[in-house]
Amino acid sequence: MTLDDVYAHLKTGDISVMTKEVVLYINRRTIEIINLANNPMAIIDNLSVHEIEMIALISNILYNNTDGNLLPLEDELYDKLQVLYKKYFPNSYSIGAPEVDFGHTNENLEEKKKGECIFPFRIPDNNMKVKDMMFASDLAKRYVIKGAHINEDSYEIGKRLREVQHLHPTLAGTLDKCNFVLVQDAVNAGIDVKKDQTVQIFERDFMQKHCNLFGMRTIPMVIMLKYDGVAVEADCTDQIVSARTRGDVDSNQTTDITPILAGYKFPNARPLDTPVGVQFEAIIDYYNLQKLNQLTGKNYVNGRTAIIGLLGLSDARKYMDFITLVPVDADIPEMDKLHRLEFCNQFYATRIPCIYEYFDSSYQETLFLVHKFVYEAQNMRPVLPFMYDGVVTEFVDPNLVRALGRKNSVNQYMMAIKFNALKKLTRFLGYTYSISQNGEIVPLLHYMPVSLMGTIHTKTTGHSLARFRDLDLRENDIIEIEYRNDVIPYATKPMIPDNIYNPNPPIPFPDRCPCCGSPVYFSEKQAFCTNIVCPERVLAKTVNMLAKLGITDVSEERVKALGVSWFHQFMEMDSKHIYNALGEAIGDKLIAQINDLKNKPIEDYVLLGSLGFSNVAKGTWKLILANITLDELLYLNDTSLYNRLIVVKGLGKERIDTICNQRGFFDADIRYILNMSNVIKTTGLAKVATNLIAVTGFRPDAAMMAQFSAIDPSIEITESVTRNTKLLLVPMDGFVSTKTQKANKYNIPVIPIPVFFGNPKLYV
C-alpha cells in the first residue's frame, strides 16, 4: 500500500490503514528526507517530493480529526516537514485537512481550534503598564534586528591567552538558582519542602528572604530569559576591542578570546573614544548549530557545548558568524539595570535582543507575574529558534541592590529560575542490547522519533536490569522521554489507559547474551555475559583501552575496521593495514601516536590500567605495582600472588580475585609491556596519592582523557563518588544529580568541566 492509498482510505474514514508498519515508514522517510534537505550535496528526487506532500496531508488529516495521544509524526518533526512542504508546494501548501469522521473522537476540536498562541515577551517602554507586558504579538518583528559582521581584516588570528584578568569584574560571576517559583509548585511536584533542604524556591529563598527585610510596598524587578550559552565580558565601541570568558572570578583569572572575537561589529553602535564594558551571552541558534555540525563534522547536541568546543578550535575565528552575542548587562554604574538593558538592546543587540520584562508591583503581584512569565517562557521554548534554559530575576531598586550586594562572585540581588526538563510522549518499539567491557548487558530502548532541543532522538539507554524490570515495557507502550539537564533523554512509563490495556505481553530480559549466546549471570540489579571473549565485550574493551591511552580519532567503527583486540596487536599494526582501514590522514595521526607510545617514557601502571581488567583502573595498578613487579604478576602462582596482594592496604578481596582470574587473559599484553624499553617500572617507588576525579552527566572521550593525562598522569577518572574523590566534574554550572548530592555531603568540590580546563592547576 502506497502513501497515496493510505491517504485515500483516511479520507473515507478508514483509520485501520494506519498500521505500525505505515507509521514506522512515515517516520523513517521523514527523517531521511529531512537529512537529505539538510545536506547541501544531496538532491531530493521527485518521489521524495511527492512523499513530503503525502506525509504532510496524512499528518494534517489525523491532526485535525483525531484525538489520540500520539500522532504519526511528533510536533517538531511535523514542523520540519512543513517547511519542506511549503518550499516545494508554495501555492498549494495548507495546514488544514478535509473533515473526516473516524468515529472515536473524544475531544471538542472546535474548542481546541480556538486556543490562542501566546507571545509572552515584550520590551517595555515608559508608557506601558504591567498588565500589557505579558502578551506581545509583535515578537517576530523584534526578533531580528541586524546581522552581526566580523571585520576579518582588522585582526590577525593568534593563540588565545590564559590567566588574564577581568577588566569588568562586576560583569563576571554566577547566579543562585532555583527550580520552582512558588512553594506550592514544589509541593505539587512531590517535594517535601520542609524536609528536603536541597530544593531552592523563588518565593521562599529569594522573595521572602530579601523583600520582607526592607518592608517595600512595591518591588521594581527585571525578569529576562536565561540564554543557554557562554558568558563573555567584552570592551566595545562599535565593535569588540577585547573579550574574555567568565573564567575564575574569585582568582580574577579568565581566558582571553580577543583573537577570536575582535572586530565583531555592532551595526547600531557608535564609535567611542573609551570602550564600554558589555556582558554578553554567546549562543548558537538551532539553524546555525546544524550548519556548524555539517561544516566541522562534529555532533554537538546543544548550543552551549558547541560554543565551548568552537572556542577551543585553532581556527575558531572563521566560524564566528555562527555565534550570536546577546547583550545582558553593561558596566555603567550610573544606570540602573532597566536602563542598562535598554542601552544594551539599542546599541549592542545584533541578531537577538535581550528579551525581558519590567514591573514595579506588590509582593503578591510580583510572584504572580514571575510565575506567569516562567510558565509562558517555558511553553515558548519549542517556538523560539534559540536555546534558553530558564529566566533570571533581578531587583532594580538601587538601595536594595546595594544592601544585598555581591558574595563569592554571586550577586545576591539576582536569582535564576531553571525550567523543568522537557518531556514528550512517544511509542516504545522494542529493545536492543549492548555489552560493556565488564560484561554487563545494558538494554537500549527504541521508540518513535521525538525532537528535543532541536535534536531527533530514536533511542536511549535503559541503564540496567533493575531499570528494565521497573519499566516493565510491552511493545507499543507509550513512554515519556524527558530531556534531563538539557543533555540526556530519560524514559519513564506513564500510567495511562493506553499502557494499562495494552494487550501485548511484557518483554522478557534475555537469558542468553544477545551477542555471543553465552549464559547470562543475574545479580540483584545487573545482568552479565559470562563469556570473557564475547566479541562485543572485547570491542568495548579495546575502545576503552585506546581512550585511556589518549589515542584520538579512533571510534568504535574504526576499531572494527582495524580488526584489533589487544594492546600488542595495536602496537604492532602494519602501516599499510592502517592506511587501508582508515585512510591517509587519520592513518598518519594514528601511526604518530603509536610511535609516541613506543618511544616516550610511560609508567607501567598507566599501560596496565588501560588493558581492561574488570574494575581495576590506573590508580589501583599504581598501588599494585608499587608492591610487586610485572614479572611477579606474570609468573607467581595464584596463591602466592594472592598472599602478596592481600596485605596491600586499599586492595579488596574482589579486585585481587579479578587480577588472579584475568591475568592469563591479558598474558600476551603484559609480556609485551614487560619488554617495552620505554616503560618506567614503578615497583619500589614511594606511593603517591592518586588524583581521583569523578564525572557525572557526560563521558570523557579520548581527546578529553588525553587532556587529563597531560595535566597530571596521576589523574584517575571514575564514575563513582567516594570519600577519597578529589573533585566531581559536571557538564555545566548548576547541574544536579545524585552524585552532586553525594559530593556535597562529603564536601567534595563540584566543578564545571569548562572551569576545570580553564585553570586545572587550581584543582590538581
Side-chain angles (χ1 to χ4, degrees):
M1 181 178 289
T2 66
L3 292 178
D4 296 75
D5 295 330
V6 172
Y7 183 56
H9 278 268
L10 289 175
K11 286 196 295 183
T12 67
D14 179 12
I15 201 170
S16 66
V17 294
M18 293 303 298
T19 62
K20 175 183 175 182
E21 289 72 25
V22 169
V23 174
L24 287 174
Y25 179 81
I26 286 174
N27 278 269
R28 178 174 64 81
R29 285 298 293 143
T30 299
I31 294 174
E32 288 174 353
I33 292 170
I34 289 172
N35 289 336
L36 274 176
N38 292 331
N39 183 355
M41 304 300 294
I43 298 175
I44 298 182
D45 57 27
N46 291 333
L47 175 61
S48 297
V49 170
H50 178 67
E51 287 192 315
I52 290 172
E53 179 184 25
M54 296 314 302
I55 293 172
L57 293 174
I58 290 169
S59 299
N60 288 346
I61 200 171
L62 292 171
Y63 175 81
N64 283 274
N65 295 285
T66 62
D67 61 352
N69 282 309
L70 296 174
L71 293 166
L73 283 181
E74 68 97 19
D75 289 347
E76 289 190 36
L77 279 179
Y78 171 80
D79 292 339
K80 293 175 185 292
L81 188 76
Q82 287 292 340
V83 173
L84 297 177
Y85 187 18
K86 285 187 284 186
K87 176 181 177 181
Y88 289 103
F89 300 94
N91 298 322
S92 61
Y93 166 75
S94 172
I95 61 172
E99 190 170 314
V100 178
D101 182 10
F102 290 115
H104 55 80
T105 297
N106 298 319
E107 285 186 25
N108 183 335
L109 293 179
E110 287 304 312
E111 182 176 332
K112 184 164 111 176
K113 291 175 185 176
K114 292 178 182 177
E116 296 181 359
C117 179
I118 298 174
F119 291 86
F121 313 119
R122 188 169 180 180
I123 301 173
D125 56 43
N126 294 334
N127 298 319
M128 188 180 295
K129 296 180 180 180
V130 172
K131 64 183 180 63
D132 299 320
M133 292 179 187
M134 303 306 288
F135 308 93
S137 59
D138 61 342
L139 174 65
K141 297 177 185 176
R142 293 193 297 101
Y143 173 66
V144 177
I145 297 180
K146 286 186 179 179
H149 174 70
I150 299 170
N151 187 348
E152 288 288 348
D153 299 327
S154 65
Y155 204 92
E156 183 181 353
I157 299 174
K159 187 177 181 181
R160 293 179 299 151
L161 303 177
R162 298 283 179 177
E163 299 184 3
V164 298
Q165 293 186 340
H166 289 285
L167 298 185
H168 306 277
T170 59
L171 299 182
T174 187
L175 295 171
D176 284 327
K177 300 174 182 67
C178 60
N179 291 99
F180 301 97
V181 178
L182 305 178
V183 173
Q184 189 59 46
D185 293 337
V187 173
N188 293 342
I191 303 294
D192 188 333
V193 296
K194 292 183 178 179
K195 291 184 179 180
D196 191 343
Q197 299 301 306
T198 64
V199 64
Q200 290 285 298
I201 304 170
F202 176 80
E203 176 186 8
R204 182 190 66 190
D205 301 309
F206 188 70
M207 292 292 286
Q208 289 181 7
K209 179 180 178 181
H210 298 316
C211 296
N212 290 350
L213 294 176
F214 295 89
M216 302 173 66
R217 295 184 61 185
T218 62
I219 305 165
M221 176 174 284
V222 164
I223 184 168
M224 69 186 83
L225 295 187
K226 183 178 179 293
Y227 296 88
D228 194 12
V230 172
V232 172
E233 163 211 335
D235 280 307
C236 306
T237 58
D238 62 337
Q239 61 183 290
I240 287 182
V241 177
S242 65
R244 296 150 295 280
T245 59
R246 182 175 64 184
D248 185 351
V249 183
D250 289 333
S251 300
N252 196 22
Q253 292 179 338
T254 181
T255 300
D256 182 8
I257 54 175
T258 303
I260 299 175
L261 286 178
Y264 189 107
K265 296 188 73 67
F266 303 100
N268 298 332
R270 295 188 295 267
L272 301 172
D273 293 332
T274 303
V276 62
V278 181
Q279 180 185 355
F280 297 94
E281 194 72 17
I283 67 172
I284 298 183
D285 61 32
Y286 295 121
Y287 173 78
N288 282 311
L289 176 61
Q290 179 184 5
K291 299 298 290 183
L292 179 67
N293 282 338
Q294 289 176 353
L295 289 176
T296 61
K298 304 291 185 181
N299 189 28
Y300 294 119
V301 173
N302 60 51
R304 188 174 190 276
T305 55
I307 291 180
I308 292 171
L310 188 155
L311 294 177
L313 296 175
S314 59
D315 57 347
R317 187 174 177 84
K318 75 178 185 181
Y319 298 111
M320 278 304 101
D321 275 338
F322 295 114
I323 286 187
T324 296
L325 296 179
V326 182
V328 295
D329 208 350
D331 189 7
I332 310 175
E334 60 270 26
M335 287 187 184
D336 63 28
K337 182 58 179 274
L338 177 60
H339 289 91
R340 296 200 303 270
L341 285 174
E342 292 173 350
F343 169 84
C344 285
N345 273 343
Q346 182 176 354
F347 297 108
Y348 292 104
T350 53
R351 300 185 185 99
I352 301 172
C354 181
I355 296 176
Y356 69 93
E357 289 185 14
Y358 166 77
F359 35 79
D360 186 1
S361 308
S362 67
Y363 182 92
Q364 291 299 330
E365 189 175 8
T366 297
L367 285 176
F368 167 76
L369 292 172
V370 170
H371 191 270
K372 186 177 182 65
F373 187 96
V374 171
Y375 175 80
E376 293 175 347
Q378 188 161 349
N379 288 339
M380 288 292 291
R381 291 178 88 187
V383 177
L384 296 180
F386 54 89
M387 302 175 193
Y388 56 98
D389 57 359
V391 304
V392 177
T393 61
E394 182 173 350
F395 292 131
V396 175
D397 182 84
N399 295 322
L400 186 54
V401 170
R402 197 161 37 248
L404 295 176
R406 180 177 172 95
K407 181 180 179 182
N408 297 328
S409 305
V410 179
N411 293 330
Q412 301 299 299
Y413 48 87
M414 301 174 70
M415 171 68 83
I417 303 170
K418 297 280 288 183
F419 291 146
N420 294 324
L422 292 175
K423 300 178 182 180
K424 287 191 177 177
L425 294 178
T426 186
R427 201 170 292 279
F428 171 68
L429 300 176
Y431 282 109
T432 58
Y433 303 87
S434 64
I435 294 86
S436 69
Q437 172 179 316
N438 67 349
E440 183 180 2
I441 301 172
V442 179
L444 191 67
L445 288 79
H446 295 259
Y447 45 79
M448 299 294 290
V450 295
S451 182
L452 297 169
M453 294 295 288
T455 303
I456 297 172
H457 298 270
T458 60
K459 58 187 176 182
T460 191
T461 178
H463 299 288
S464 64
L465 171 66
R467 181 77 180 134
F468 179 97
R469 289 169 173 166
D470 289 342
L471 286 170
D472 190 30
L473 290 175
R474 306 161 188 252
E475 186 178 344
N476 217 38
D477 271 346
I478 289 178
I479 58 176
E480 186 174 70
I481 301 299
E482 181 179 358
Y483 212 46
R484 291 196 170 183
N485 301 303
D486 287 344
V487 178
I488 305 169
Y490 185 81
T492 55
K493 179 180 175 180
M495 293 304 295
I496 57 178
D498 302 65
N499 293 339
I500 295 172
Y501 300 110
N502 185 349
N504 293 320
I507 296 175
F509 200 92
D511 57 6
R512 293 274 175 177
C513 172
C515 175
C516 68
S518 300
V520 172
Y521 167 75
F522 292 94
S523 68
E524 182 180 352
K525 296 183 178 181
Q526 296 167 295
F528 297 89
C529 170
T530 53
N531 178 15
I532 197 170
V533 292
C534 169
E536 195 163 338
R537 284 188 67 174
V538 173
L539 176 63
K541 170 192 74 68
T542 307
V543 172
N544 288 338
M545 175 190 75
L546 299 183
K548 290 176 181 178
L549 290 172
I551 303 298
T552 59
D553 296 318
V554 182
S555 62
E556 183 175 296
E557 291 304 314
R558 287 172 177 166
V559 170
K560 289 180 181 178
L562 290 169
V564 295
S565 302
W566 306 97
F567 176 71
H568 67 278
Q569 289 178 339
F570 174 75
M571 295 293 286
E572 295 302 321
M573 282 189 297
D574 179 74
S575 59
K576 183 178 180 181
H577 171 70
I578 295 175
Y579 288 134
N580 288 337
L582 304 182
E584 186 174 350
I586 300 297
D588 282 341
K589 292 178 66 174
L590 182 59
I591 291 171
Q593 293 177 91
I594 292 174
N595 288 334
D596 283 344
L597 281 175
K598 287 182 176 180
N599 297 302
K600 290 184 178 180
I602 186 169
E603 291 84 356
D604 49 10
Y605 64 82
V606 174
L607 294 176
L608 258 69
S610 72
L611 295 185
F613 281 80
S614 299
N615 299 315
V616 186
K618 179 174 67 175
T620 303
W621 280 113
K622 187 174 185 179
L623 189 63
I624 292 169
L625 293 178
N627 291 273
I628 67 170
T629 65
L630 281 172
D631 295 270
E632 290 172 322
L633 176 65
L634 276 172
Y635 299 120
L636 287 176
N637 61 44
D638 286 349
T639 301
S640 299
L641 180 60
Y642 184 93
N643 291 335
R644 288 288 304 275
L645 295 179
I646 194 66
V647 296
V648 178
K649 187 177 180 180
L651 279 182
K653 180 180 182 301
E654 185 176 345
R655 282 184 177 174
I656 297 174
D657 287 340
T658 296
I659 293 166
C660 291
N661 293 334
Q662 294 185 7
R663 60 177 172 156
F665 182 66
F666 294 100
D667 181 86
D669 281 347
I670 299 173
R671 291 178 185 275
Y672 186 88
I673 293 170
L674 185 63
N675 293 318
M676 290 175 64
S677 60
N678 61 312
V679 171
I680 301 171
K681 308 298 193 300
T682 56
T683 302
L685 300 180
K687 294 187 282 292
V688 180
T690 300
N691 282 310
L692 280 174
I693 297 179
V695 298
T696 181
F698 69 98
R699 288 188 177 181
D701 57 16
M704 188 177 290
M705 293 299 295
Q707 285 182 275
F708 285 124
S709 297
I711 292 166
D712 190 330
S714 70
I715 289 176
E716 179 183 352
I717 302 300
T718 176
E719 293 186 1
S720 59
V721 175
T722 68
R723 295 182 186 275
N724 295 325
T725 301
K726 189 177 185 70
L727 56 98
L728 174 65
L729 297 181
V730 295
M732 64 191 74
D733 193 22
F735 183 92
V736 177
S737 68
T738 55
K739 293 177 186 176
T740 62
Q741 295 171 357
K742 194 171 183 181
N744 291 333
K745 177 182 176 182
Y746 295 152
N747 294 318
I748 295 168
V750 178
I751 310 296
I753 191 71
V755 175
F756 173 82
F757 281 125
N759 194 352
K761 293 179 182 178
L762 290 175
Y763 308 105
V764 293

